[in-house]
Amino acid sequence: MPRVITNETYGCPPIRALTFDSLGLIKVTEARGKERGTPTVVNTWGEMNASRSVLASSMDDRPSNPLLAVARKDGNVEVLNPCNGDLHFAYPLFGDDGCSPEDDEVSGLHLFRKQKDDQAERSCTLLTCTKKGDVSLRTVKFPDARDDSIDDTAPKTWKACGSGEVLVGKVDGSENFGLFGGKRVEVNIWDLEQCTKIWSAKSPPKDNLGIFTPTWFTCAAFLSNEDHRKFATGTKSHQVRLYDVSAQRRPVLSFDFHETAITAITEDPDGHTIYVGNASADLAAFDIRTGKLLGNFLGKCSGSIRSVVRHPHHPVIASCGLDRYLRVYDVKTRQLISAVFLKQHLTGLVFDSGFSGEEIAVANTVVEAETEEKMTILEDDEEEGEDKTEEAPVKKKKSKKEKRSRDKVSEKGEEIDEVRSKKTRDHKKKTKKVKHTQED
């Protein structure tokens, strides 16, 4: 029998999550209001097309002019407005070298948050990485209202690997360093300003049985936004590894997590807690300083986890995957707060940290006040109408039902009269017969 878990928390805090699926749709899920509520889908952007599946995403949720960047399967990179889904611009990532998107998919995307010049509000810097190791760093200016063309300067490009497939591409919190790794590609760190490699990991030694574990990184996360030297990675061989660039090239700490591939990993703001998800739908929290398991998150899901994100302000994390559910968990109790069914296989999600839910609450109060005013006006109009009707009564037309009922009553009355007349006639006949008999 399935295990039933009672949920002690009632709803989740005000959050806004954007999820991406295998059919190219972007769905916005919100939990509104100051009090804890239930997340619901409020918007769906795009059309269903498997060739436009979202492979990677990145968001700059600044207070003014926020931006959302997505890389699609057809090789296009789009920059959207995360508030309403409007497209700012899009550009193809392939085409110059004759490579097709099917052969070289995007494996990493980052939208830079820091502003380098005064015109940063009308431009953005994007870093993309493909499976073949082609890294591109370009600054794109928004198209002018008069001209739809995009002012695209020459991008910086380099090769992150000579062979293998790059499956992981991350940028640290200072946005000065990038991390790349993948299948048969050891983790390496690059200086994004100079476009040079500054560190490369070394594969761990063979185990006690003399078996060498092949290199296959699937995910990674920097432990702190202020320090790029420490980061955690997940591998295909269900291992979680901790690297310290200042200490050594091999992992400082490594431990196993169940028996399936690690598919998602994210850090906590405290700098020493990480959340790990795998292909068998297991989600757990670890203290990366010692490798100790802090606990598993309750509420088992039934599909491979593809993304795990920690909210920067509220103590919740969200996960999504192939079971088509967006799940929100409480970090302290590790219990499932709510789950939203989104119909398609989910490939990733991001949180909008600027969402508070207060604006919507204010809007609702304004709407309620307007409706109350309208209701009072309508009530006053009705009272005036009633007074007028009392002064000048108007004859009401009889309805068909009333006419029918009166016709029936009249018919019944006629029948009763006929019966009574028959009885009186019979009675008179009887009295005549009695008189004749008496005379005789």
Side-chain angles (χ1 to χ4, degrees):
M1 294 179 63
R3 193 169 76 176
V4 179
I5 300 169
T6 59
N7 191 1
E8 296 179 358
T9 58
Y10 300 95
C12 62
I15 60 172
R16 186 171 188 262
L18 282 75
T19 56
F20 316 98
D21 57 41
S22 59
L23 294 181
L25 298 178
I26 302 175
K27 296 184 179 180
V28 183
T29 305
E30 294 180 359
R32 303 177 179 179
K34 294 182 180 180
E35 297 180 357
R36 291 181 175 267
T38 303
T40 55
V41 179
V42 295
N43 281 317
T44 300
W45 303 330
E47 297 179 357
M48 289 190 293
N49 189 354
S51 63
R52 289 176 53 78
S53 172
V54 178
L55 302 178
S57 61
S58 180
M59 186 173 177
D60 180 8
D61 50 359
R62 56 194 178 190
S64 62
N65 299 323
L67 297 175
L68 171 68
V70 294
R72 299 188 180 271
K73 192 175 181 180
D74 58 0
N76 290 322
V77 177
E78 299 177 355
V79 176
L80 310 169
N81 185 349
C83 298
N84 52 21
D86 292 342
L87 178 66
H88 288 302
F89 63 87
Y91 66 91
L93 194 61
F94 304 98
D96 298 336
D97 54 356
C99 184
S100 62
E102 291 80 7
D103 299 333
D104 194 12
E105 294 180 347
V106 177
S107 59
L109 174 67
H110 182 77
L111 177 63
F112 284 78
R113 295 173 174 82
K114 61 182 180 182
Q115 298 180 358
K116 297 182 179 180
D117 52 10
D118 297 335
Q119 298 180 354
E121 292 185 356
R122 298 299 303 168
S123 65
C124 63
T125 304
L126 295 164
L127 183 140
T128 57
C129 179
T130 64
K131 285 187 176 181
K132 291 185 178 180
D134 297 322
V135 183
S136 174
L137 182 64
R138 70 174 70 192
T139 300
V140 183
K141 292 184 180 180
F142 291 2
D144 193 3
R146 301 176 182 176
D147 189 8
D148 293 337
S149 61
I150 300 172
D151 188 2
D152 188 4
T153 58
K156 297 180 181 179
T157 58
W158 68 88
K159 273 278 188 180
C161 65
S163 61
E165 294 182 359
V166 176
L167 303 177
V168 181
K170 289 286 183 180
V171 177
D172 71 325
S174 64
E175 296 184 337
N176 294 323
F177 303 94
L179 181 150
F180 306 98
K183 185 178 180 180
R184 300 188 302 274
V185 179
E186 289 291 341
V187 179
N188 51 81
I189 294 180
W190 289 69
D191 187 346
L192 300 180
E193 292 289 338
Q194 304 295 328
C195 299
T196 56
K197 185 190 295 186
I198 61 174
W199 184 84
S200 179
K202 188 176 181 180
S203 58
K206 297 179 181 179
D207 58 8
N208 297 331
L209 299 177
I211 299 174
F212 175 74
T213 303
T215 302
W216 197 330
F217 292 97
T218 56
C219 53
F222 288 96
L223 297 184
S224 175
N225 293 330
E226 300 176 356
D227 188 6
H228 70 281
R229 295 174 297 177
K230 293 182 180 181
F231 57 91
T233 62
T235 66
K236 185 76 172 180
S237 57
H238 56 84
Q239 273 192 347
V240 179
R241 299 176 182 176
L242 172 64
Y243 288 90
D244 190 351
V245 175
S246 60
Q248 60 186 22
R249 294 177 61 190
R250 281 179 172 167
V252 177
L253 177 68
S254 64
F255 54 89
D256 294 337
F257 179 53
H258 291 285
E259 298 180 355
T260 56
I262 308 297
T263 55
I265 188 170
T266 189
E267 75 282 358
D268 193 87
D270 61 7
H272 56 80
T273 304
I274 60 172
Y275 307 100
V276 182
N278 63 5
S280 59
D282 298 307
L283 183 61
F286 289 91
D287 188 347
I288 198 63
R289 296 172 297 184
T290 59
K292 180 182 178 181
L293 175 65
L294 299 178
N296 292 306
F297 285 84
L298 305 177
K300 178 78 174 179
C301 55
S302 58
S304 175
I305 296 175
R306 294 304 173 92
S307 181
V308 178
V309 180
R310 171 70 159 82
H311 198 280
H313 304 311
H314 301 293
V316 296
I317 65 169
S319 69
C320 67
L322 299 184
D323 64 345
R324 303 183 177 97
Y325 274 92
L326 168 66
R327 287 180 165 84
V328 183
Y329 299 89
D330 192 307
V331 171
K332 297 179 181 179
T333 61
R334 291 188 291 275
Q335 287 190 353
L336 179 66
I337 296 176
S338 62
V340 183
F341 183 67
L342 298 177
K343 298 182 181 180
Q344 283 83 26
H345 296 293
L346 303 178
T347 59
L349 71 95
V350 293
F351 272 128
D352 185 0
S353 62
F355 178 78
S356 61
E358 295 179 358
E359 296 178 358
I360 297 172
V362 171
N364 289 335
T365 55
V366 171
V367 171
E368 288 177 357
E370 291 178 354
T371 53
E372 286 179 358
E373 290 179 358
K374 290 180 180 179
M375 291 295 290
T376 53
I377 292 168
L378 291 173
E379 288 177 357
D380 295 337
D381 294 338
E382 289 178 357
E383 290 177 357
E384 290 178 358
E386 289 177 357
D387 296 337
K388 290 180 180 179
T389 53
E390 289 178 357
E391 292 175 359
V394 180
K395 293 182 179 180
K396 294 182 179 179
K397 293 183 179 180
K398 296 179 181 179
S399 62
K400 293 182 180 180
K401 291 183 178 179
E402 291 178 354
K403 290 181 179 180
R404 289 176 183 174
S405 61
R406 289 185 178 181
D407 294 337
K408 289 180 180 179
V409 171
S410 61
E411 289 176 358
K412 289 182 179 179
E414 291 176 356
E415 291 178 357
I416 293 167
D417 293 336
E418 289 179 359
V419 171
R420 287 178 178 175
S421 62
K422 285 182 181 181
K423 288 183 178 180
T424 53
R425 290 172 187 174
D426 295 337
H427 182 68
K428 287 179 179 180
K429 288 180 180 180
K430 289 181 180 179
T431 53
K432 285 180 180 180
K433 288 181 180 179
V434 171
K435 289 180 179 179
H436 287 297
T437 52
Q438 288 177 357
E439 291 177 355
D440 295 335

